[in-house]
Amino acid sequence: MAFSSTVFLYPNFPLRSPSSQITKPRHQSFPIRCSESIADRPPMSSPFDLRSYWTSMISHIEADLDAAIPIAYPDRIYESMRYSVLSNGAKRAPPIMCIAACELVGGDRSIALPTASALEMVHTASLIHDDLPCMDSAQLRRGRPSNHAVFGVGLAVLTGDALFPLAFSHVVGHTPASLVPPQAILRVIGEIARTVGSTGMAAGQMFDLLPEYGGEQEDVIVVLEKKFGEMAECSAVCGGLLGGADEEELERLRRYGRAVGVLYEVVDDVLMEEDKGVGGNGRSGKMRSNASVVRALGKGRAMEIVEELREKAKEELKGFGDKYGERVLPLYSFVDYAVDRGFKLESHVTAVAGDSAPYSP
């Protein structure tokens, strides 16, 4: 997917600050080169093995999640939470991005682990609600029946409702206060709250539901930024906060994270449409029409946007390479993985989850 021609990108891609209001951008554009030069790539003394890095992180994240959501009274809601959070199909991208951003600026991964797990809880809660019949009406999630298909719509709603506050309490209760300043923990809580709220992911889902919304590039990008980009942005910024990043670094991480989050979903959109084109049914009913660049703008424009976002994400990382050297490599690798999907990641939480029987509706 390499494009060397000059293409145009809506100014919505230069990512808005978290305090900005949701407004429909005016039709303006500016040129951006999509070809990647050698200068765009980070210096590295040896190839970075993203798969090994990612896999090594997953075991720690899943052990922490397993301990954070034990079976307790009332049993059924905890079973429902564990069913969705401790899923073998989960990639754990938000928590791993959080840890990588923390390590980038000099923090230890142990101080980021509680927030990383909390981000996975928030992410999973959003997926449970996203799959509901009144939302995207998806019957599958991560390769198996979605939560409401197993536990019913009512309990699925309550499961998401329970995971959001559990995430906040996990950050507060498990982040080592001796290593992380209280102000940083407060800012992490604020970032997560903003992300899931009325100007963040909730807004993205609302726009995705409006029948009159969509069909134009700015509409689709707003849905993608709010529904998907916000989560990746939050993950990168929270990691930076915990690791002690300065304000300029946090803004770079914010723009980087949002670009990667949207990038991943645009690629997913392209792959889903290709699946349909060869006789499949797409990927578990994901991506309603309002969030589909391919359906709104065509596959060619979607591919151009992929390259624009890849370049933008890497541009935000250049300053980190000069200061932190090879610690920036995981974040660079996430960008290419979002496009190339060079390997598959599967978690193995059933080995630690302690759930003895399959679930029935």
Side-chain angles (χ1 to χ4, degrees):
M1 297 184 193
F3 294 87
S4 58
S5 59
T6 300
V7 297
F8 292 88
L9 177 64
Y10 272 86
N12 201 35
F13 276 123
L15 307 169
R16 294 185 294 277
S17 65
S19 60
S20 62
Q21 297 297 314
I22 300 172
T23 57
K24 190 172 180 178
R26 291 178 294 175
H27 185 88
Q28 296 176 341
S29 57
F30 60 91
I32 182 169
R33 299 293 298 182
C34 289
S35 58
E36 182 184 36
S37 67
I38 297 297
D40 294 329
R41 300 171 188 168
M44 60 179 72
S45 58
S46 59
F48 179 75
D49 186 351
L50 177 63
R51 189 177 190 278
S52 294
Y53 179 84
W54 202 314
T55 302
S56 70
M57 296 283 197
I58 283 179
S59 61
H60 297 291
I61 293 164
E62 290 175 349
D64 193 55
L65 289 168
D66 179 51
I69 313 174
I71 295 294
Y73 180 82
D75 294 2
R76 192 64 173 165
I77 196 166
Y78 281 94
E79 290 170 357
S80 177
M81 287 192 286
R82 289 174 68 86
Y83 176 84
S84 290
V85 174
L86 299 173
S87 168
N88 274 336
K91 300 181 183 71
R92 314 300 185 198
I96 290 172
M97 182 177 287
C98 172
I99 292 172
C102 179
E103 291 185 322
L104 166 68
V105 295
D108 187 85
R109 66 181 60 177
S110 63
I111 66 175
L113 183 59
T115 295
S117 295
L119 289 166
E120 186 62 31
M121 295 177 200
V122 167
H123 179 56
T124 301
S126 73
L127 297 179
I128 292 171
H129 286 174
D130 190 50
D131 291 339
L132 291 170
C134 61
M135 300 292 182
D136 280 11
S137 191
Q139 293 300 304
L140 294 175
R141 172 63 66 181
R142 294 170 170 170
R144 62 177 181 170
S146 52
N147 189 285
H148 72 268
V150 175
F151 293 92
V153 172
L155 189 54
V157 172
L158 294 174
T159 298
D161 291 345
L163 283 170
F164 285 123
L166 179 60
F168 290 120
S169 64
H170 194 66
V171 173
V172 173
H174 293 82
T175 304
S178 61
L179 300 177
V180 182
Q183 185 60 33
I185 298 175
L186 286 174
R187 289 186 68 179
V188 165
I189 294 294
E191 282 292 330
I192 298 174
R194 177 195 62 77
T195 296
V196 303
S198 57
T199 62
M201 294 164 68
Q205 187 63 47
M206 182 195 72
F207 288 138
D208 201 13
L209 292 173
L210 295 177
E212 69 273 17
Y213 205 85
E216 299 182 19
Q217 174 160 314
E218 60 264 40
D219 291 347
V220 177
I221 297 305
V222 167
V223 175
L224 288 170
E225 283 192 337
K226 291 296 178 182
K227 191 172 178 181
F228 303 110
E230 291 275 356
M231 188 74 246
E233 172 187 332
C234 179
S235 301
V237 171
C238 285
L241 284 167
L242 293 164
D246 61 35
E247 294 302 320
E248 181 181 352
E249 290 170 336
L250 289 173
E251 288 309 306
R252 282 189 172 273
L253 287 169
R254 186 179 302 285
R255 294 189 295 267
Y256 161 84
R258 182 170 291 208
V260 172
V262 177
L263 171 63
Y264 193 95
E265 293 305 324
V266 175
V267 173
D268 245 21
D269 186 18
V270 172
L271 293 174
M272 183 185 72
E273 293 299 324
E274 289 178 349
D275 285 351
K276 289 181 178 179
V278 295
N281 295 317
R283 299 187 170 202
S284 67
K286 185 180 175 182
M287 299 286 282
R288 295 171 66 93
S289 58
N290 289 356
S292 173
V293 175
V294 173
R295 293 175 212 166
L297 307 174
K299 183 178 177 181
R301 180 64 188 124
M303 299 283 275
E304 291 175 345
I305 289 173
V306 165
E307 292 303 320
E308 291 165 6
L309 286 166
R310 171 150 57 178
E311 180 172 303
K312 176 166 185 58
K314 290 188 175 183
E315 181 67 27
E316 296 297 340
L317 295 178
K318 285 183 179 179
F320 290 115
D322 295 339
K323 185 175 182 180
Y324 297 115
E326 293 193 358
R327 291 210 299 261
V328 77
L329 294 183
L331 296 182
Y332 268 106
S333 297
F334 293 159
V335 180
D336 290 328
Y337 175 77
V339 178
D340 302 327
R341 312 291 171 92
F343 55 86
K344 290 185 178 181
L345 280 162
E346 292 187 1
S347 57
H348 301 283
V349 294
T350 52
V352 298
D355 301 325
S356 59
Y359 296 96
S360 58

